[in-house]
Amino acid sequence: MHDIFSAIILGIVEGLTEFLPVSSTGHLILIGHLLRFEGEAATTFKIVIQLGAVLAVFVLYWKRYMDILKDFLTFNFSAKNKLNAIHMIIAMIPALIVYLIFKDIIKQKLFGPAPVLVGLIIGGILMIVAARAKRKVTAEHTDDITYKQALGIGLFQCFALWPGFSRSGSTISGGLLLGTSQKAAADFTFIISVPVMLGATVLDMYDSREFLTSDDLVLFLLGFIAAFIVAMIAVVTFLNLIKRLKLEWFALYRFALAAVFYIFVM
């Protein structure tokens, strides 16, 4: 019964935090620690429920993905000022390479409460620096983002491999530092989230296949469904919030979370 409760709670947390710059992985690790829901099977569970959030974004951005896929299959990359599959591929490559090289170290050394607290703080500092940096905005909308900016955002996405940094926090910060508006960076983050998270989840599930047993199927399904439903609501609710609120507010939340957890739990 405790595991079922934990699965639902973690699914809700995943759906709420995946697309905010506060680190969903960090929240899952910290709350999993509080719920005593830890170990290899728990780590695999946290990976699987990300697919629920991925599916939510895919459903909401269905038309945009179909347009990008259509252009890709017909080799239609001639239109200027239009986001296409090349932007997405370029943005995915850096983190994929870093993950494949360091995945064992990441899982063994960084998936714990202490590294998450460090990631929350350093990631928050990065967000404050990005929000206050004076840069000329050259990409007001996602279709204005250049290949060079997409690559740069992809490099910043590598920070997100450290739990606590946050993928959206890293990519939005990178976008701001590279000359995109916060709206364009947030939209781009949402759009590339599906292939990035899908690829990462599939790789992680393959590596953790020995822990995927039929005994845990109910827990995984409950977490997946909870993450999907909450993420559907959260994406619609938080999309405008991310575009309007300055990153400093999210950074302050990260600092407060790290402080509370350190004082009362560590």
Side-chain angles (χ1 to χ4, degrees):
M1 193 66 184
H2 173 265
D3 285 347
I4 292 176
F5 173 78
S6 298
I8 295 173
I9 292 297
L10 290 172
I12 292 172
V13 170
E14 165 65 22
L16 281 174
T17 60
E18 180 60 53
F19 303 104
L20 286 177
V22 296
S23 178
S24 64
T25 303
H27 276 74
L28 291 177
I29 291 172
L30 294 179
I31 294 176
H33 180 73
L34 286 175
L35 295 172
R36 311 274 189 227
F37 191 71
E38 298 176 297
E40 293 290 350
T43 298
T44 304
F45 168 83
K46 293 165 189 173
I47 293 167
V48 170
I49 63 174
Q50 289 181 339
L51 288 174
V54 171
L55 181 60
V57 174
F58 184 72
V59 170
L60 292 170
Y61 280 83
W62 169 264
K63 187 177 185 304
R64 188 68 188 261
Y65 286 121
M66 290 302 100
D67 288 341
I68 292 173
L69 180 61
K70 179 181 177 182
D71 288 341
F72 179 71
L73 293 176
T74 57
F75 300 98
N76 182 19
F77 306 118
S78 59
K80 293 183 178 180
N81 297 327
K82 185 179 180 182
L83 185 72
N84 58 53
I86 295 179
H87 289 92
M88 299 174 70
I89 293 170
I90 290 173
M92 290 171 59
I93 289 175
L96 176 62
I97 293 174
V98 173
Y99 173 79
L100 291 175
I101 295 174
F102 297 106
K103 63 179 180 179
D104 291 335
I105 295 175
I106 291 170
K107 288 184 177 181
Q108 293 170 12
K109 303 295 185 181
L110 301 181
F111 271 69
V116 168
L117 298 187
V118 174
L120 285 171
I121 294 169
I122 298 177
I125 293 172
L126 171 63
M127 289 161 61
I128 290 174
V129 170
R132 296 186 177 182
K134 302 298 181 183
R135 293 288 186 274
K136 181 181 178 182
V137 176
T138 58
E140 192 66 45
H141 305 285
T142 51
D143 286 333
D144 301 326
I145 293 176
T146 65
Y147 292 140
K148 183 177 180 180
Q149 288 172 322
L151 176 60
I153 292 172
L155 291 171
F156 272 91
Q157 188 169 226
C158 293
F159 287 122
L161 295 174
W162 183 303
F165 259 92
S166 165
R167 195 184 61 80
S168 60
S170 299
T171 53
I172 293 174
S173 296
L176 291 176
L177 292 171
L178 294 167
T180 75
S181 68
Q182 187 163 314
K183 177 182 182 300
D187 276 332
F188 187 64
T189 293
F190 273 79
I191 291 170
I192 65 172
S193 67
V194 169
V196 168
M197 291 169 59
L198 184 60
T201 303
V202 169
L203 286 173
D204 278 335
M205 286 177 65
Y206 178 77
D207 290 339
S208 306
R209 59 192 180 279
E210 60 186 290
F211 301 104
L212 294 170
T213 65
S214 58
D215 294 338
D216 296 321
L217 183 59
V218 173
L219 294 181
F220 286 11
L221 283 175
L222 286 173
F224 177 91
I225 293 170
F228 171 73
I229 294 173
V230 175
M232 285 284 286
I233 299 170
V235 171
V236 174
T237 304
F238 292 147
L239 188 56
N240 289 325
L241 188 65
I242 296 173
K243 294 174 184 177
R244 293 176 183 178
L245 278 183
K246 291 184 177 181
L247 286 183
E248 285 100 327
W249 291 106
F250 296 106
L252 291 175
Y253 167 80
R254 294 161 65 98
F255 296 153
L257 176 65
V260 168
F261 198 90
Y262 179 78
I263 294 170
F264 295 104
V265 181
M266 293 293 286

